[in-house]
Amino acid sequence: MALTQQLARVSPEYLEQCRRTAAAAPDGDPQWDPPDEDTLDLDWAIWGLIRFCGRSETDAGHRDILQRSIEGEAGGVEFLDHREVHDGFDSPPALHSPAAVAKLAEALNTIDLHQTLTRLPRDAKEAAQACGFEWEDTHPRAYLTRHFTALRDFYNTASQRNQAILTWVD
């Protein structure tokens, strides 16, 4: 089973509702189920970008922004560490508050992905290896671009709506 990076946009009110539901439920189930349009599966793309950016001093700041965007802040959402929400393969969900989301959205908007990706090797296999992927015949540029754009847009929308973002690996 492949694990992938997951995100969900939620309002602070929705999180509080889930907290109350979990506290009242005999099994602690928070009845957490954000709508599909407020969830994002980043697959392995951002991990690949983080790895690639980590190899270049030029992109170290980008690496840090990307890493923060998928890590969340510890604590505050322990009630989501439930078998109906989190499968237990990695750390439980972590939270970015609406204020942190706004700062990260702004930071993600500063990343010039095109410039970063110009440093990828031209050869598909070499480029994939630079990102930690085991592909041989498909260059990762479009894959990385598609998922980075989705991440940036996801954060921008959450920031505009004053939402929090939950992060986890599933």
Side-chain angles (χ1 to χ4, degrees):
M1 171 168 52
L3 300 176
T4 61
Q5 182 67 53
Q6 305 289 317
L7 302 175
R9 293 183 292 232
V10 293
S11 70
E13 296 80 18
Y14 181 73
L15 279 177
E16 188 53 38
Q17 173 190 334
C18 290
R19 185 184 318 276
R20 286 191 307 270
T21 300
D27 66 351
D29 185 355
Q31 299 295 309
W32 182 66
D33 189 22
D36 287 345
E37 62 270 12
D38 285 324
T39 62
L40 178 63
D41 183 341
L42 291 170
D43 204 32
W44 308 298
I46 301 307
W47 300 334
L49 270 175
I50 289 168
R51 180 180 174 142
F52 179 68
C53 289
R55 294 175 171 212
S56 163
E57 284 186 34
T58 306
D59 296 321
H62 296 166
R63 179 198 61 226
D64 295 344
I65 293 166
L66 292 166
Q67 190 69 47
R68 285 194 327 265
S69 76
I70 62 169
E71 282 184 346
E73 302 157 5
V77 289
E78 293 81 9
F79 61 92
L80 292 177
D81 192 7
H82 184 275
R83 65 178 163 27
E84 296 300 321
V85 177
H86 173 247
D87 59 20
F89 282 112
D90 196 48
S91 301
L95 178 71
H96 280 300
S97 68
V101 167
K103 288 179 183 174
L104 279 164
E106 196 173 302
L108 287 165
N109 286 326
T110 68
I111 295 176
D112 182 348
L113 189 66
H114 174 72
Q115 181 63 33
T116 296
L117 295 182
T118 61
R119 290 185 275 289
L120 270 176
R122 291 187 191 273
D123 178 76
K125 184 177 180 178
E126 289 177 21
Q129 288 174 343
C131 296
F133 305 141
E134 295 181 13
W135 309 338
E136 295 196 12
D137 57 353
T138 305
H139 200 284
R141 185 180 318 276
Y143 171 77
L144 296 171
T145 300
R146 182 174 64 251
H147 284 86
F148 172 78
T149 301
L151 173 69
R152 186 188 59 215
D153 293 349
F154 196 80
Y155 265 87
N156 283 330
T157 298
S159 177
Q160 292 164 359
R161 295 179 183 170
N162 198 37
Q163 291 177 306
I165 289 183
L166 290 160
T167 69
W168 74 101
V169 174
D170 191 18

